[in-house]
Amino acid sequence: MPSAFTHEFNTPAFKGKVSFSTGLFINGQFVDGSDNTTIDVINPTNGKVITSVSEATPKDVDIAVEVAQKAFDTVWGLNASGATRSILMGKLAILMQENADELAALEALDNGKTFNFARNIDVASSIDCIRYYAGWADKVTGQVLETTEAKLTYTRHEPIGVVGQIIPWNFPLLMMAWKLGPALACGNTIVLKPSEFTPLTAIKMCHLLNEAGFPPGVINVLTGYGGTTGNAISSHMKIEKVAFTGSTLVGRKIMESAAKSNLKNVTLELGGKSPNIIFDDADLEQAVNWAAFGIFFNHGQTCTAGSRIFVQEGIYDEFLKRFTERTRSIKVGDPFAPETFQGPQVSEIQFNRIMSYIESGKQAGAKVEVGGERQGTEGYFIQPTVFTNVDSSMKIVQEEIFGPVGVVIKFKDEDDVIKQANDTVYGLAAAVFTPNLNRAINTAHRLKAGTAWINCVNSFNANVAFGGFKQSGIGRECGEYALHNYTSVKAVHVNLGHKM
Amino acid sequence: MASLSARIVIRATNRELEIPTGLFIDNQFVPSVDSASEPIQAVNPSTEEPICSVVAGSAKDIDIAVAAARKAFNTTWGKNVTGFERSKLLNKLADLMERDQDILAEVESLNNGKPVKIARDFDIGDSIQCLRYYAGWADKITGQTIEVDNKTKLAFTKHDPIGVCGQIIPWNYPINMWAWKVGPALACGCTVVMKPSELTPLTALMLSKLIAEAGFPPGVVNTIPSLGSVGGAALSAHMDVDKVAFTGSTVTGRKIMEAAAKSNLKKVSLELGGKSPQIVFESADLDQAANWACLGILYNTGQDCTAGSRLYVQDTIYDKFISLLVSKAKELVIGDGFDEKSGGGPVVSKTQFDKVWRYIESGSTQGAKLALGGQKRPGKGFFVDPTIFTDINANMDIVRDEIFGPVLSVGRFKTEEEAISLANDTSYGLGAGLHSNDANQCMRVSSALEAGTVWVNQYNLLNNNVPFGGKKQSGIGRELGSYALEEYTSVKAVHWNFGEKLDWPL
C-alpha cells in the first residue's frame, strides 16, 4: 500500500493541510513500485526528508506501457474525439485553478522556489498551457493535396500512440503541463517520469487527472531515477516517442537509447549558455533589471538563463556598478517568506556542482564582483554571484552552471559581440538590449538561438514556439509547433480511376 | 415607460420566468429611442397564441448600437484584449449556456415550435460546443513571417479583427445560428451588432443577458430585434459597420450585398437557401438511405437551408425504395414541441404555413403525384405533415424553388451521369447527399456534385470543426471550422525595413 503524504503548511505565504497518496500512478490507481522501494524527497532549505514516494523500476515501466497501449487502443487515440479530449483538458485546467495555492506550496516545498513565483508564474502558466492545448484538441487537421483528378490524396495527423516523457526539477509543474498539453490534445497516451527531486506536484496532478475524468491508463506517472526508470522509457521497444527536458549530457543518452532500441522519435530540450547583449544606447536601468532577472530568476536554474552578459564598452563601468548593486539587494532565504526572491538550490548535488564552478572561476583568475560563497549554514543556499575578468577558455564561460552565477564580458561592437555570443555549442536563447530596433532585429536574426528576446529576457507565452538550435535541443515546444511532436502523418492515396 | 421584461408561463413544464424584452446595448436592456417603433410580438406557432412582445429597434437604435460597438472595439475589445482573455470569456459564456440549457430549450421550443428535447440536446448542445470550439481558436490567430530579403527587410502579416460586424440571423435555429455567428466574431476580436429574426427574438435576448453575466465588456455584443427591412437594412447600409454576415433567404441576401456595395463596400458573407439533392444508387443500403432521406427533408420540419428537398432514386430500386421511404416518413409525429411524442414541430409562422401550402397545391396543379400528405390539418397551430411528391419534372415550382417545409420531390434516373446532371440542375449549391456502396462511385459523384457540403452515406449532420457554406447562389464565404475565422479577420502586411537606404532621385 503506498503511503500518503500529509503535511501541515503554516507559513506566512500559505497555510493549509495537504494529504494524498504518493504511489506510482498506473491505470488510474496509486500503487507501490514492484520492488517496494521508495525515494526520499528532500527539503532543500534544510536537507531534511519531507516524505518518501514509491520508486518505479523498469518492470513498472513495462506495466505502464501496457496499460497506456490498451487505453490508446480502446478509449483514447482516435476513439476519443477531439471535442472529448478538449473537454477533459478544460476540466483539468479548472481543477488546477481550484487547487492553485496547494500546487504552489508543494512546488515551493520540494523545489525551493518562492511560493510567490510558484503561484504567479509556475502554476499560473501551467494552467494557461493546459487551457491553450485544450483548445487545440479538436483542431488537429491534415491536408488535402492537389495531385490529379484521378486520385484523392490527403494526410491524416494521427496520434503517435504511447509516448514517454521525462521532465526536470527546475519547473516541475510547468514542464509537466508543457508535455501533457500537446500530447493529450493530439490523442496520445503517456508514461511520464517526473524528477526524483521534485515529484510532489506531479503526484498531486495525478489526483486531479482522476478527478477530471481522464480514462485510466491515458496518463501514467512513474516517480523513479533517470538511470533506471528514465532509461527504461527511452529504450522501451513499445514506446514510439520520447520527449526529454534536462541536461545536454542526459539528452545524448536518451537519443542513443532511442537509436539503439526501436528508433523512436526524440525531442529534446536541453541546456544553454545564453548570451544577454547590452548595447551602449540601451536603457541602462531596464537593462540592469532584466539582466538580473535573466540570470537570477529561479536561482539561475533556467535552461534559458542569460548567464553570459555582454556589455558594450561605453556603458560597461556604469552597468557593472549598478548590476552588482542590484545583485547585492537580492533577498535570499525562506521560500515561504513574502520578501524572498531567491530560495535554495534544488539539491545537494546541484549545490556542490555550482560551488565547484565558482571555485574553478576563482582558480582560473576571474574576479568575484559580488557573492561567490555559500549563504548560511543550512540547506543549499548560494549567494547571487557575478564574475568579471573572464575569458572564453574558462569553464564558467563555456559550461552551463545552472545556478545564480553570471559572467559579465565587455565587447566592442556588433560584429565582435555576435561572434562571441555564438561561440558556444549551445543555442537555446539570446537577448538584445537597445532602443535601435533596426540593430536589435538585425542582431536577433544573426544570433544562433531558438528564442531571441529584444529588450526583455525569460519572457514566455504558451502560444509561442520554444526550443534550441545546436546542442540545445531538437524540436519545438509551445504554440502550434508542439503538435508536430505528437502526431504521426499518414498520407492516403485513393485511386479513383487510374487503371494499371 | 413600458417595462423591459415580460413574465411568461410555460404551462407544459410549470415554469414561470422573466425574460428581457428591451434592446441590448452596452450590456443594458433599453427602450427604443424611437417612440413610433411598434413592438414585435413573439408568437407560439403550436397554439398561434402570443407569448409576449419585445421592443423593436429602429434605424436610430442601430446607429446607437453601432456606436457602442465601435467604442468597445477601440477601447476594451479589438486589439485591446488578448486572445487568452477572449478565450476565457467565450468559455464562460459556454458554461452559462450549459447552466441554463433547460430554460433556453423551453423558450426556444415555445417561440420556434421545435421539440424541447431536440432544442436542448441538438440546437443548444451544438451551440455550447461551438462556443467552446471558437474559445479554443481565440488565442491561436496567427499571421506569418515571410522570407523576402534577409539583409534589409522583415515582412510579416498580422491577422487583425475586422471591426464592428453586423450579424443577421434567421428563425429556423435561433440559438444555433447565434452561436455560429458570435463564436468566430468574438474569437477574432470583433464587436457585434446582432439582429435576431423578428419571428424568434426571445432566446437571443436571453443569451444577451448571459453575455453580460459572462463578463464581456459593454458594447462588445449588442442585440437589436427588429424587422429585416428596418434593422437588417440599416446594418447592411451602415457606413460604420465593417462587415455584415447574413443567414437567410437568397432574395434577402441579394439586397444585403447590394446595400453593402452602395454604402461602404463592407465585407459580406452570406449563407442562403438551397434545393439540395440526395441521390440513391442501386448499391446503397436502402433502409439506411431511406432513414437519411427522411432526416434530410423532415428534420426541423424541413426548415433547414440544407434540407434534402429533392431525391433522385435509381430506376432499378425505385419502387422498393419509395415504399420504404413513405412508410418511414409516416412514422414521424408532428406536434406541439412540449409533447413527448413529437418528433417535429409546426412551421414557424402563418406566412410560412401559407407559403408551404401554396407549393403543395402547385405540386398537384402542375402534375406531380402525391405519395404522402396533402391534407391540411384543422384547428390551431401551423402544423404541416410530411409530404412526398413523385413523378416530378425539372420545370415544376416544387422542384426549382426552396419551399422550406416538409415537402419532398422525388425523381428517378438511369445512369450516374444523369443523376449528377439532375442534381446539379439548380442555381443553388448548398448541400448534396449520395448513397452508394461503390467506393469509386462515391468518390466520382462527390467530386462532381456542385455543393458546399457533400454527404456520403449520410445527410444533414454537421460538425463544428468542419466548414460549411454554399456554392453558386447558396452563399458567399464559409462558417464553422477554422475557415470562419477568415470571415472576421483583416490581413495587414507589414514591411519593416531595417537595412535599406533609399537614394533620391531614383
Side-chain angles (χ1 to χ4, degrees), chain A residues 172-190:
Chain A
L173 184 66
L174 185 56
M175 292 299 99
M176 190 180 192
W178 277 25
K179 295 281 183 288
L180 292 188
L184 291 174
C186 294
N188 299 280
T189 54
I190 297 167

Side-chain angles (χ1 to χ4, degrees), chain A residues 131-132 136 138-139 496, chain B residues 88 133 137 140 443 465:
Chain A
R131 277 212 189 102
Y132 175 77
W136 269 121
D138 53 4
K139 299 172 179 63
L496 304 178
Chain B
K88 279 199 189 123
Y133 175 77
W137 269 123
K140 300 173 179 64
M443 288 293 179
N465 55 353

Side-chain angles (χ1 to χ4, degrees), chain A residues 206-235:
Chain A
C206 294
H207 291 270
L208 299 185
L209 287 164
N210 270 352
E211 210 184 319
F214 282 88
V218 172
I219 305 117
N220 305 277
V221 176
L222 307 181
T223 41
Y225 292 104
T228 49
T229 311
N231 188 44
I233 289 173
S234 45
S235 52

Side-chain angles (χ1 to χ4, degrees), chain B residues 40 168 195-198 225-236 252 256:
Chain B
I40 289 172
I168 302 164
K195 187 203 93 59
S197 166
E198 59 271 30
S226 78
L227 299 179
S229 54
V230 175
L235 277 173
S236 343
T252 308
I256 293 193

Side-chain angles (χ1 to χ4, degrees), chain A residues 87 131-132 135-136 138-139 152 438 441-442 463 494-496, chain B residues 84 88 129 133 136-137 139-140 154 440 443 465 496-498:
Chain A
I87 288 172
R131 277 212 189 102
Y132 175 77
W136 269 121
D138 53 4
K139 299 172 179 63
L152 172 66
N438 288 352
I441 287 176
N442 207 19
N463 58 346
V494 185
N495 181 12
L496 304 178
Chain B
F84 289 101
K88 279 199 189 123
Q129 273 314 301
Y133 175 77
W137 269 123
D139 54 6
K140 300 173 179 64
L154 170 65
N440 286 358
M443 288 293 179
N465 55 353
W496 188 317
N497 177 18
F498 59 79

Side-chain angles (χ1 to χ4, degrees), chain B residues 200-214:
Chain B
T200 53
L202 303 182
T203 46
L205 292 168
M206 292 167 76
L207 290 169
S208 301
K209 211 161 165 217
L210 298 186
I211 286 273
E213 193 185 337

Side-chain angles (χ1 to χ4, degrees), chain B residues 80-135:
Chain B
N80 305 294
V81 66
T82 64
F84 289 101
E85 194 50 42
R86 301 196 299 267
S87 179
K88 279 199 189 123
L89 289 171
L90 274 166
N91 268 320
K92 187 81 176 91
L93 181 62
D95 291 343
L96 293 176
M97 206 191 263
E98 191 170 25
R99 180 195 70 190
D100 291 355
Q101 59 183 308
D102 289 314
I103 307 179
L104 285 165
E106 289 177 24
V107 177
E108 186 87 320
S109 179
L110 196 69
N111 196 187
N112 166 283
K114 66 179 74 203
V116 181
K117 269 210 297 271
I118 291 182
R120 190 193 60 222
D121 297 342
F122 295 105
D123 294 55
I124 293 170
D126 285 349
S127 300
I128 294 167
Q129 273 314 301
C130 178
L131 291 178
R132 292 215 171 102
Y133 175 77
Y134 284 105

Side-chain angles (χ1 to χ4, degrees), chain A residues 78 85 136-146 152-159 186 480 483-484 487-492, chain B residues 133 137 465-467 481-483:
Chain A
L78 294 172
R85 304 196 295 266
W136 269 121
D138 53 4
K139 299 172 179 63
V140 180
T141 52
Q143 302 179 334
V144 172
L145 305 143
E146 189 182 327
L152 172 66
T153 17
Y154 60 93
T155 56
R156 279 165 55 97
H157 285 208
E158 301 177 351
C186 294
E480 186 182 354
L483 303 177
H484 301 319
T487 49
S488 208
V489 178
K490 172 188 290 173
V492 181
Chain B
Y133 175 77
W137 269 123
N465 55 353
V466 181
S482 61
Y483 294 73

